[in-house]
Amino acid sequence: MVPRIAVILLLLLLSHGALAQILSKPRPATRGAVSPADIAERLEKSANETARIVPSAARGSAIDFAWPMTAEEYAATAKHVLVLVSVVTQDAAELPLRRVHIRAGGKDVELVRLSHELVGVAKGSRTFSVLGAHREDGFYLAPARAMMAEGYLQADFATRRSDFNLYKLPATAPDFIRSDKSPEPPADSKPDLAAVRAMIVREYKGFKPPTFERTMLPFSEKLASLEF
């Protein structure tokens, strides 16, 4: 399986009312498929860590990303990386996320949203009491070059909060991708959606595969003409 790095980020609401954002250190590279229970466990651990500092947080997140496994899959995805973003918030009005993007080198690169789903949070969990009752899971495609740049993977919520840091880039790519002298998606390229779906099924067991409806957010005009 493809090595992946997961990270959990929390936006903490301090007792005096000020907001502080804390990024945990990247988790060690892991192998094997990630399940909804794995993400729930990561959020639960984050809630426990948060509760040692403050009673509750405005919102929190956990991300996971998977690089293409082979050069052939890299080409089939048009040099994109698969990203799973899970967010939890106290305020239901903040969901669904308005967009997920990469800010690097003074530029914003918006990710392609493949799917998003509102997920319940167990009422007896620490996640529910500390981070919130409202969770969304979403799959995205990010260009390989942007994921390897110095910057931040960020999310804009529907209301109240924009530029919420999800991950401190760069991410560590496989050797065959790092050796690519031109990791930017080719002009007018179209990811093979069957290959993307197969990758999701392989890497994220138990998550609902996207149906690739036209409601997905455009990454750029070059993807607007994708055939569904």
Side-chain angles (χ1 to χ4, degrees):
M1 285 295 180
V2 179
R4 59 163 62 77
I5 296 176
V7 66
I8 296 175
L9 175 148
L10 299 175
L11 182 66
L12 300 180
L13 179 59
L14 303 181
S15 58
H16 54 69
L19 294 177
Q21 200 166 345
I22 298 177
L23 279 75
S24 68
K25 294 181 180 180
R27 291 175 179 267
T30 59
R31 293 180 180 274
V34 168
S35 70
D38 292 329
I39 297 298
E41 182 180 359
R42 295 174 190 177
L43 290 169
E44 191 75 356
K45 289 180 179 178
S46 295
N48 287 330
E49 293 170 0
T50 302
R52 289 196 289 266
I53 304 172
V54 292
S56 65
R59 58 191 68 83
S61 68
I63 75 159
D64 195 274
F65 48 86
W67 298 87
M69 180 182 291
T70 63
E72 291 75 18
E73 191 168 64
Y74 182 50
T77 60
K79 301 188 177 184
H80 285 84
V81 182
L82 186 59
V83 181
L84 169 64
V85 176
S86 294
V87 292
V88 179
T89 176
Q90 302 284 356
D91 185 0
E94 290 193 333
L95 300 177
L97 292 178
R98 184 157 44 88
R99 68 169 185 153
V100 174
H101 59 105
I102 291 172
R103 180 160 295 167
K107 297 181 180 180
D108 273 357
V109 177
E110 186 170 344
L111 275 59
V112 176
R113 185 171 69 189
L114 301 173
S115 68
H116 67 102
E117 182 179 10
L118 297 179
V119 183
V121 179
K123 289 185 178 181
S125 67
R126 185 60 69 90
T127 303
F128 185 96
S129 60
V130 176
L131 301 181
H134 312 285
R135 172 179 161 184
E136 178 185 271
D137 294 340
F139 284 105
Y140 297 81
L141 285 178
R145 180 186 291 277
M147 288 291 285
M148 293 188 290
E150 291 279 351
Y152 285 92
L153 179 65
Q154 298 180 325
D156 293 349
F157 286 79
T159 62
R160 297 179 57 189
R161 187 67 165 92
S162 297
D163 301 332
F164 180 83
N165 289 333
L166 299 169
Y167 187 79
K168 176 72 170 66
L169 297 169
T172 302
D175 290 342
F176 75 91
I177 295 179
R178 287 203 302 271
S179 65
D180 183 2
K181 296 182 180 179
S182 181
E184 186 71 26
D188 300 323
S189 63
K190 297 180 181 180
D192 182 335
L193 297 183
V196 172
R197 191 177 192 279
M199 192 173 174
I200 293 173
V201 171
R202 183 187 72 226
E203 301 294 340
Y204 298 99
K205 299 292 186 184
F207 286 91
K208 183 179 179 181
T211 56
F212 301 114
E213 296 177 355
R214 285 193 174 274
T215 54
M216 74 184 220
L217 296 177
F219 170 69
S220 66
E221 291 184 1
K222 69 184 179 185
L223 294 180
S225 60
L226 282 173
E227 296 181 0
F228 301 89

